Amino acid sequence: MANLSSRTLSTSYSSSITVNQQLAALNGLYAQAYNTAATAAALSQDSALSASYGVPTQSSDHDVVSILYNDTSYHPDDASSSVFHFAVQQLALKQINNGASLNAAAATAIDVGTNAFTLTVGGTGYSLEITIDAGDSNEVALNKLAQAINAAGSGVTATLVYGDEGTVYLNLAGPYGAAHAFSLADVTGNAVSATGADTKTQSAQDADFLVNGLPYTQENNTVSLLAGHLQVNLQGTGRATVTLGSETMVDMVKSLLNGMNSFTAYLGSTSDLNSGLSQAWSSLVNTYSHILTKYGLQSVSGGQLGLDTLVLTDALKSHGATVREAFYGSGGLAPAVQAFMQEILTSPGAALLSSPPTSSYAATYLNSRASAPWYRLASSSFLQVV
């Protein structure tokens, strides 16, 4: 009789190539399912696995500080802090100018002929000019103004913004930080005054914040810690604590996709398993790869999945709660994968084979739920049939 406390489970069967192949296929399947379920459970923040897989580097308040990047291969020495207390007093901002709202189709009020003006950014002046032709509309004239500003290479970008009832205005935005404040002034003509291009609606400013009680001022909202191995983004004023853990969510998603890809490859490598497994698994993969495309998930050849980490990182910055729900909330990818694997781990071995087990190697056993002793999500091992 089998000893369920041992690492190896023996059954009585007459040795044959078919028998050995089926048992090898089952053992490989259960091993793959166990490992994939474990990575899914880690992303799902399953408490039963939290001790084994650690917690991600995380912020106590994502509206104040969010995680951009964590190098999980970097292990801080004892002198480095693993907890960072932030007090954000103000965020870095870029200057924004919104010009006057004009009738896009109406004849422009900018003087016909050459209009010269200056753009000054952080003390550096740029001499620009545009030529307005008779009959130019406001839309055409503003396009000329925007093109001249964008071509200057000053860091200030100009775009046309269209409003209701055929209106348009010029939007100007500079780089983040007080040092990049800018201004415009007419030299000849009235291109600036006629369009309101120098109307400031938001002033440039630096970020002011404390980390573990020490004050910092910088021109952007990306904070580099631990010599660049940990990077966070200031999201709003207030207090938050960043705790260094073993993995970020991006790392956990990558680990889950690696496990899923390994499982896909394994199903494709053996003909001894029930074809329904591959069909059901492909359906799950295809469904979620379609749903999560906007968050960086990519379908590649052979049913494999890739991840655009920059897309996922940006999505986490702008829609963190929605992204986290899509990956590990109710109905998300990680719970679906975990449920799929747990179904395998608790199924009779015979149900997972492409052909019925022969009586010579304990068909009765493999047709019972007792043939799935690999379901040990709280441990680091699983039993193996030989």
Side-chain angles (χ1 to χ4, degrees):
M1 180 176 291
N3 180 3
L4 296 181
S5 65
S6 66
R7 291 289 299 274
T8 300
L9 186 62
S10 298
T11 63
S12 298
Y13 62 90
S14 57
S15 179
S16 72
I17 294 177
T18 300
V19 167
N20 289 336
Q21 287 178 345
Q22 287 185 316
L23 290 177
L26 278 176
N27 284 324
L29 176 67
Y30 280 118
Q32 288 280 343
Y34 175 85
N35 291 331
T36 308
T39 56
L43 183 58
S44 300
Q45 299 179 335
D46 188 306
S47 60
L49 283 175
S50 60
S52 299
Y53 286 83
V55 294
T57 295
Q58 56 190 326
S59 170
S60 62
D61 191 337
H62 293 278
D63 292 331
V64 177
V65 179
S66 63
I67 310 301
L68 282 178
Y69 171 75
N70 177 41
D71 181 1
T72 58
S73 65
Y74 175 73
H75 302 287
D77 57 35
D78 292 339
S80 299
S81 176
S82 60
V83 178
F84 301 92
H85 300 286
F86 280 81
V88 182
Q89 297 155 336
Q90 75 175 25
L91 295 177
L93 296 176
K94 59 178 66 176
Q95 180 177 333
I96 296 175
N97 286 13
N98 286 325
S101 183
L102 306 171
N103 184 322
T108 183
I110 300 178
D111 294 340
V112 174
T114 299
N115 286 254
F117 61 99
T118 58
L119 168 65
T120 304
V121 184
T124 301
Y126 300 83
S127 297
L128 308 176
E129 65 178 41
I130 59 173
T131 299
I132 301 298
D133 299 320
D136 279 354
S137 66
N138 281 318
E139 181 179 26
V140 170
L142 288 178
N143 262 314
K144 291 180 177 180
L145 192 56
Q147 289 172 12
I149 293 171
N150 290 333
S154 66
V156 176
T157 58
T159 57
L160 270 63
V161 180
Y162 293 86
D164 297 333
E165 301 178 355
T167 59
V168 63
Y169 66 87
L170 189 67
N171 169 269
L172 302 178
Y176 282 92
H180 301 292
F182 63 89
S183 62
L184 297 95
D186 288 316
V187 177
T188 59
N190 65 345
V192 174
S193 59
T195 60
D198 201 37
T199 304
K200 186 188 304 182
T201 56
Q202 177 175 286
S203 298
Q205 67 181 31
D206 293 331
D208 289 326
F209 57 98
L210 303 175
V211 180
N212 292 343
L214 298 177
Y216 295 89
T217 298
Q218 63 181 48
E219 66 181 19
N220 58 59
N221 294 312
T222 300
V223 180
S224 182
L225 304 167
L226 298 176
H229 294 283
L230 173 63
Q231 294 179 23
V232 302
N233 196 59
L234 306 180
Q235 299 281 71
T237 57
R239 295 179 178 273
T241 299
V242 173
T243 305
L244 187 65
S246 59
E247 294 178 297
T248 64
M249 182 177 167
V250 173
D251 294 318
M252 286 185 165
V253 170
K254 288 168 62 178
S255 295
L256 175 58
L257 296 185
N258 288 338
M260 293 174 66
N261 287 339
S262 178
F263 187 78
T264 298
Y266 182 78
L267 291 181
S269 70
T270 176
S271 61
D272 292 302
L273 297 174
N274 190 323
S275 61
L277 277 175
S278 290
Q279 295 169 5
W281 177 245
S282 294
S283 177
L284 184 151
V285 171
N286 291 337
T287 296
Y288 281 94
S289 64
H290 177 73
I291 293 173
L292 301 175
T293 296
K294 59 185 175 182
Y295 300 137
L297 213 64
Q298 302 171 334
S299 295
V300 293
S301 61
Q304 300 286 291
L305 295 173
L307 180 67
D308 188 325
T309 57
L310 293 179
V311 172
L312 178 56
T313 300
D314 287 342
L316 283 167
K317 288 166 56 180
S318 57
H319 306 290
T322 302
V323 177
R324 288 188 287 272
E325 182 69 19
F327 277 98
Y328 59 74
S330 176
L333 174 63
V337 170
Q338 189 178 5
F340 189 98
M341 298 305 162
Q342 289 181 357
E343 180 66 22
I344 290 174
L345 291 167
T346 55
S347 294
L352 305 172
L353 296 172
S354 60
S355 58
T358 63
S359 59
S360 61
Y361 72 107
T364 301
Y365 174 78
L366 286 178
N367 276 297
S368 72
R369 293 188 70 84
S371 65
W374 300 263
Y375 182 44
R376 299 287 186 272
L377 282 186
S379 70
S380 60
S381 63
F382 55 88
L383 300 177
Q384 184 178 33
V385 172
V386 296

